[in-house]
Amino acid sequence: MKVKFLVDECTGKRLSNLLNIAGYDTIFVGDWKPSAPDDEVLDKANKEGRVLITDDKDFGELVFRLEKPSSGVILIRTSTTNSAIRMHLLETLLKSTDVYKKFIVLKDKVFKIRDA
């Protein structure tokens, strides 16, 4: 089963488009509900079994401190905002790891994984 994604507005539509082109069922938050609050974004992802891809560190607080349910979060903390490079890093991550129900911090050369 291929992972489904919800891509946060701050992460960008370009990455969302690249995921769709690669065959992933992906929704861009800006197409669904522009300026949606973080808790609503996380709730939509969880209800639809989507892994949220974001650049927003606030989701860590929602998942860990406030214990909001999550079907998974990939927090991108790379030195580049280039969508093609980020897509390559995501593909590398997806080949090696089950991202469902995990909170993953994706950096340039490493990723850190915790259960969500």
Side-chain angles (χ1 to χ4, degrees):
M1 180 182 91
K2 266 204 172 177
V3 185
K4 297 189 300 185
F5 295 107
L6 181 64
V7 176
D8 201 3
E9 277 182 293
C10 62
T11 306
K13 184 156 177 91
R14 211 174 272 149
L15 183 62
S16 178
N17 289 341
L18 289 172
L19 285 161
N20 274 317
I21 289 166
Y24 292 97
D25 178 343
T26 306
I27 296 174
F28 178 60
V29 171
D31 291 339
W32 162 65
K33 188 173 185 179
S35 303
D38 289 350
D39 58 339
E40 232 177 284
V41 171
L42 188 64
D43 188 53
K44 177 178 179 63
N46 187 53
K47 283 182 175 162
E48 295 184 8
R50 294 180 182 277
V51 174
L52 174 65
I53 299 176
T54 185
D55 288 32
D56 186 347
K57 293 186 287 189
D58 292 344
F59 286 99
E61 181 169 333
L62 288 174
V63 170
F64 295 113
R65 199 173 71 73
L66 300 178
E67 299 180 350
K68 299 277 186 190
S70 165
S71 49
V73 176
I74 298 173
L75 174 63
I76 301 180
R77 307 300 295 158
T78 57
S79 59
T80 182
T81 57
N82 180 297
S83 299
I85 293 170
R86 287 176 156 206
M87 182 65 188
H88 175 72
L89 292 169
L90 275 170
E91 287 177 318
T92 302
L93 170 69
L94 293 169
K95 283 178 190 158
S96 64
T97 307
D98 176 12
V99 297
Y100 192 70
K101 294 278 187 192
K102 305 281 190 289
F103 192 99
I104 299 170
V105 179
L106 180 64
K107 297 186 176 185
D108 292 317
K109 295 191 181 344
V110 296
F111 46 86
K112 297 177 183 173
I113 302 171
R114 289 177 64 179
D115 287 331

